[in-house]
Amino acid sequence: STAIRTTICQGRHDSRFPDGCARGTCIYRHSPVWLKGLQELAIIRKESISRREFFAALGTTLALLVFQYLLSDGFSPPERDALRYSDYAINLVEYQTFGLTGAQRENAPEPGRANSPLYPGWVALVATLDTSLRESLRCALTDPEQPSVCPENFLSLAWAQLFLALIGLVLLWLLARLLFNDGLFALATLVFASLSMVYVEKALEIETENLILPLFALLQIGLQEPGP
């Protein structure tokens, strides 16, 4: 398989040498292309992104998300696609089966493969830890025409998905930082992406974008070519 050679300088940098390291201070590592993004994060760019810069981005993201959450109307009860994901999640918790049941919940569902189990599995994980969330989702599935009669115990899922939003925005910041090597531009990218409200709006809904956004940013980081 295709591999990438990573150069790690143990000593001082010296531009007179091909690998940018003083003689005798280089370590070479070969690894698959798909691991290169993590190398960018943990090794190659270690000296160019300071802890202060990282925690400034993290703190900015956290402050923006909490502020937007406090201004929001709260979590949206499941409807349309969200009901389908909720159905999958409840069946994973109650029957350990990935399939759809609908309003008739007396019997275990038939295994299905119409959708990916990744996001329903995430919702199922939170519902396993929070029985009140499980009750709210089950009620919404049993009586989807009258969601107002169901308890709205979605706080645990809201905070869990805000955590995903935090990860997604920090990864977006990191991607911009690696691409352009400009801290101010990366921070501006983070702020404008957050102010779009997409991340916090999706965090307050049962939608697959909660996982797609951070995973896509992570994929893009993994596709970057190693820097000098």
Side-chain angles (χ1 to χ4, degrees):
S1 59
T2 304
I4 286 179
R5 187 177 80 166
T6 301
T7 303
I8 306 170
C9 290
Q10 289 189 317
R12 62 186 179 85
H13 291 273
D14 193 328
S15 59
R16 294 175 299 172
F17 294 94
D19 291 313
C21 301
R23 189 182 302 277
T25 64
C26 293
I27 294 178
Y28 300 105
R29 293 181 182 175
H30 292 80
S31 58
V33 172
W34 61 271
L35 282 178
K36 185 269 307 162
L38 296 180
Q39 295 170 346
E40 284 281 289
L41 172 61
I43 301 173
I44 298 174
R45 301 290 184 167
K46 184 176 179 181
E47 295 182 2
S48 64
I49 301 178
S50 67
R51 288 186 178 181
R52 178 180 297 180
E53 187 178 0
F54 171 77
F55 284 112
L58 182 65
T60 301
T61 307
L62 184 61
L64 286 169
L65 286 175
V66 171
F67 179 71
Q68 291 171 356
Y69 172 69
L70 294 175
L71 292 180
S72 71
D73 295 328
F75 202 92
S76 301
E79 56 183 19
R80 297 189 295 275
D81 288 348
L83 285 171
R84 184 170 72 256
Y85 302 135
S86 301
D87 197 352
Y88 280 130
I90 291 299
N91 287 330
L92 282 171
V93 174
E94 295 182 345
Y95 302 108
Q96 294 75 55
T97 302
F98 183 72
L100 294 173
T101 302
Q104 305 301 321
R105 311 204 58 79
E106 292 79 11
N107 301 314
E110 292 292 327
R113 56 181 183 179
N115 299 99
S116 166
L118 186 60
Y119 180 68
W122 163 257
V123 179
L125 174 62
V126 182
T128 300
L129 301 173
D130 183 3
T131 56
S132 62
L133 170 63
R134 192 156 66 243
E135 293 170 359
S136 294
L137 294 177
R138 189 187 299 111
C139 178
L141 290 167
T142 304
D143 196 359
E145 301 300 324
Q146 294 183 318
S148 60
V149 303
C150 295
E152 296 186 5
N153 301 316
F154 300 113
L155 186 61
S156 60
L157 186 57
W159 283 109
Q161 296 194 153
L162 283 169
F163 177 68
L164 287 179
L166 175 69
I167 294 174
L169 284 166
V170 170
L171 287 174
L172 181 65
W173 165 82
L174 179 60
L175 176 61
R177 184 67 174 80
L178 295 176
L179 279 173
F180 300 101
N181 198 27
D182 187 324
L184 185 60
F185 181 85
L187 189 61
T189 301
L190 185 156
V191 171
F192 281 118
S194 178
L195 292 179
S196 72
M197 299 293 289
V198 169
Y199 284 83
V200 74
E201 286 176 358
K202 292 303 177 183
L204 299 178
E205 298 175 351
I206 300 178
E207 294 293 344
T208 56
E209 285 83 356
N210 285 289
L211 277 178
I212 289 174
L213 289 171
L215 288 177
F216 183 76
L218 185 61
L219 173 64
Q220 294 304 308
I221 291 172
L223 292 176
Q224 297 310 306
E225 291 295 329

